[in-house]
Amino acid sequence: MTTTDRTPRKLHVVTHGCQMNVYDSARMTDLLRPLGYETVAAPEGADMVIINTCHIRERAEEKVFSQLGRLRKMKEEQGGNMMIAVTGCVAQAEGEVLAQRAPFVDLVVGPQAYHRLPELIAQAHRKAGAVIDTDFPVEQKFDYLPDDAAPQGVVSFLSIQEGCDKFCSFCVVPYTRGAEASRPVASVLAEAKRMVALGAREIALLGQNVNAYHGEGPDGSTWSLAQLMDKMAEIEGLERIRYTTSHPNDMGEDLILAHRDNIKLMPFLHLPVQSGSDKILRAMNRKHKADDFRRIVERLRHVRPDMAMSSDFITGHPGETDADFEETMKLVRETGFALAYSFKYSPRPGTPAASLPQVEEAVKDARLQELQGLLREQQNTFNASIVGLETPVLFTGSGRHPGQIAGRSLWLQPVVVEHETDLTGKIRMVKITRANPNSLSGTLLDKELIAA
Ligand code: 5AD
Ligand code: SF4
């Protein structure tokens, strides 16, 4: 591969894993656009394919290797004219091993180094074998990203914090994403304003530990997430703010009160608790008890009575007995979740829990089924509780069927309304008439609404 001209080139990006990867993929696309790369929907015929990977559980990693197998064939069929880049957390964790196991890969780039992509691509053009960059550079990648991001739409995601210092026993994130780092307030506000100018009405602030945000403020002092969101609320045209993902130990009182005082902050929180058993929480190195989580939920619901909760759970962490699992079920029953994600524990290489005696696969499975049954029931109950309400909906585009428009509720539920006129970007009052398994249906009310 020796082309250096600026003729349009086809770029295909595959994204696995979390919202941060979705954001990173978009920014990589922004970085490559000035070099003549235009995105295409399929890998066939592409000049460059980026697989932005996830390492959180084994299944996510397996998907990457099966995808690489298919790309290898395609690359051969194209006479070698396809640059293949593996980015993200598998790239970070596997580095050299990945390059050896998949020698047709041209670039291996960790999540902290992707701002160097243009330079790395140039290197890959010159060099046989893979170019690997899994450094944690001293410069912040956020400072090196172009200002002309492509619009994301009415709902936009904005990365403000990366990395994790918590070292939960099961988790690879502290190893793949590195130490906690927060983006300066001015840079976040500038990007938020750009997003709003491009049509964003709702912004979700992203970070592996977003509520541990401690960014440099314009006055040189350190700002908390609550302070940052307070300032964001002043942005005209921005109607809704969310943040994800959070840790219970960083749920400070100012953040809890922000759910009462910041009118643009939505009454929905994703707060992973992982387990309801204090013994397992200790084994997980979570540094909080189940009751700490209960107290946070209670405080949140006290300051904001319509607060809906979401969480993550793991079944079958090493040491989990039937009684421990029962504690998790009890916590779920007591809390009542609007939404939740649950996973079977998956041993990750290099993490402390991976070297402990493991719970049997069938037991992990059975517990996951039981937990998911309860969580599904709670989601249905929550959705049903919204039926009959008159509530603001932010419209994001057209629905799946002609004559329908779609939006989202305050609590993140998709809402579908029969309506001919496009209301994209507008907030309107809707009477919710039905709860479907994964969405709500409603009718438009003839009421003007300025803010959420
Ligand atoms: N096995 C299963 N689930 C995991 N998670 C993180 N690491 C693992 C693992 N090794 C889950 C946690 C976390 C979510 C993003 O993924 O619940 O909150
Ligand atoms: Fe992983 Fe725990 Fe950090 Fe979350 S807080 S990213 S689960 S180590």
Side-chain angles (χ1 to χ4, degrees):
M1 301 195 58
T2 52
T3 43
T4 50
D5 60 298
R6 295 285 164 106
T7 48
R9 294 176 201 160
K10 292 181 189 149
L11 167 68
H12 178 67
V13 184
V14 184
T15 309
H16 295 281
C18 63
Q19 278 301 338
M20 304 217 41
N21 267 10
V22 177
Y23 178 86
D24 284 354
S25 290
R27 300 319 310 264
M28 286 192 268
T29 309
D30 292 334
L31 265 169
L32 297 183
R33 199 177 308 109
L35 303 182
Y37 286 94
E38 290 166 6
T39 44
V40 290
E44 288 84 1
D47 299 285
M48 172 139 187
V49 177
I50 297 178
I51 307 193
N52 196 8
T53 61
C54 173
H55 200 234
I56 198 106
R57 286 171 292 274
E58 205 175 350
R59 281 250 312 268
E61 190 180 356
E62 277 164 8
K63 266 196 231 157
V64 173
F65 282 100
S66 69
Q67 226 152 25
L68 278 174
R70 286 197 296 277
L71 283 178
R72 175 200 201 144
K73 280 207 197 93
M74 244 178 252
K75 181 170 180 161
E76 279 166 14
E77 281 160 20
Q78 291 181 204
N81 285 320
M82 177 191 275
M83 186 175 277
I84 300 178
V86 178
T87 62
C89 292
V90 175
Q92 187 66 41
E94 308 261 314
E96 292 282 349
V97 176
L98 194 143
Q100 277 162 22
R101 194 170 151 189
F104 51 93
V105 167
D106 303 277
L107 273 172
V108 179
V109 186
Q112 305 309 322
Y114 73 67
H115 56 289
R116 295 179 178 167
L117 255 184
E119 176 195 327
L120 297 170
I121 291 174
Q123 275 180 37
H125 277 301
R126 291 193 298 269
K127 176 176 178 281
V131 171
I132 303 175
D133 190 343
T134 49
D135 286 353
F136 288 107
V138 274
E139 82 265 16
Q140 286 274 306
K141 76 175 180 194
F142 292 131
D143 299 342
Y144 286 78
L145 295 173
D147 287 345
D148 56 345
Q152 290 184 43
V154 172
V155 175
S156 294
F157 294 89
L158 203 175
S159 260
I160 64 165
Q161 183 277 341
E162 271 224 60
C164 180
D165 298 337
K166 302 270 189 299
F167 290 92
C168 298
S169 61
F170 51 83
C171 186
V172 287
V173 167
Y175 311 94
T176 58
R177 292 266 173 175
E180 280 176 11
S182 299
R183 196 169 165 177
V185 170
S187 149
V188 175
L189 293 176
E191 187 163 1
K193 283 177 190 156
R194 271 199 301 276
M195 285 175 164
V196 172
L198 290 171
R201 293 292 166 266
E202 173 172 319
I203 292 182
L205 300 173
L206 301 179
Q208 258 96 29
N209 255 301
V210 75
N211 61 339
Y213 178 86
H214 53 280
E216 189 193 331
D219 50 359
S221 71
T222 302
W223 283 32
S224 68
L225 179 62
Q227 280 174 290
L228 174 72
M229 293 193 298
D230 234 13
K231 199 76 193 160
M232 277 184 70
E234 291 174 11
I235 301 175
E236 215 168 302
L238 177 62
E239 305 292 353
R240 294 181 168 189
I241 305 171
R242 302 179 190 273
Y243 59 95
T244 196
T245 282
S246 296
H247 191 289
N249 290 355
D250 293 310
M251 252 359 263
E253 186 63 13
D254 68 334
L255 187 52
I256 291 176
L257 291 178
H259 283 276
R260 178 192 70 189
D261 301 332
N262 188 332
I263 54 157
K264 294 189 179 177
L265 187 55
M266 292 294 96
F268 179 96
L269 179 63
H270 181 67
L271 187 65
V273 62
Q274 316 294 358
S275 169
S277 149
D278 285 343
K279 187 191 97 193
I280 293 303
L281 288 171
R282 205 174 321 116
M284 286 176 164
N285 193 32
R286 293 286 294 178
K287 301 197 174 91
H288 63 80
K289 299 200 162 153
D291 275 351
D292 297 320
F293 179 82
R294 287 187 178 93
R295 262 194 299 273
I296 294 166
V297 175
E298 199 183 306
R299 282 286 298 139
L300 283 165
R301 287 181 170 156
H302 178 72
V303 303
R304 180 88 206 224
D306 64 345
M307 193 77 192
M309 295 302 302
S310 162
S311 199
D312 288 341
F313 296 91
I314 295 179
T315 65
H317 183 277
E320 188 186 75
T321 61
D322 284 343
D324 294 316
F325 175 65
E326 196 36 55
E327 292 282 305
T328 300
M329 293 294 280
K330 184 165 165 258
L331 179 69
V332 172
R333 268 185 231 110
E334 286 168 8
T335 308
F337 289 95
L339 188 74
Y341 304 89
S342 45
F343 313 97
K344 240 185 341 175
Y345 169 72
S346 166
R348 306 309 290 133
T351 58
S355 53
L356 297 173
Q358 300 293 310
V359 172
E360 245 178 88
E361 209 55 29
V363 174
K364 286 193 222 174
D365 260 327
R367 288 179 189 161
L368 186 68
Q369 294 309 319
E370 196 180 333
L371 176 60
Q372 288 186 336
L374 176 59
L375 290 169
R376 174 37 78 182
E377 228 174 78
Q378 293 197 336
Q379 187 178 338
N380 292 343
T381 306
F382 178 71
N383 287 346
S385 75
I386 308 300
V387 174
L389 281 191
E390 296 183 1
T391 186
V393 170
L394 169 60
F395 286 95
T396 50
S398 47
R400 215 177 288 161
H401 303 292
Q404 280 185 344
I405 54 173
R408 59 203 325 205
S409 73
L410 298 174
W411 308 281
L412 219 50
Q413 297 135 307
V415 181
V416 180
V417 170
E418 307 282 329
H419 193 67
E420 293 298 336
T421 324
D422 180 24
L423 291 178
T424 304
K426 303 226 158 50
I427 295 177
R428 289 284 184 273
M429 290 302 280
V430 169
K431 182 167 176 112
I432 304 299
T433 51
R434 201 176 64 220
N436 316 305
N438 295 306
S439 66
L440 303 172
S441 307
T443 52
L444 215 55
L445 293 173
D446 202 16
K447 286 183 192 164
E448 271 299 313
L449 199 91
I450 314 302

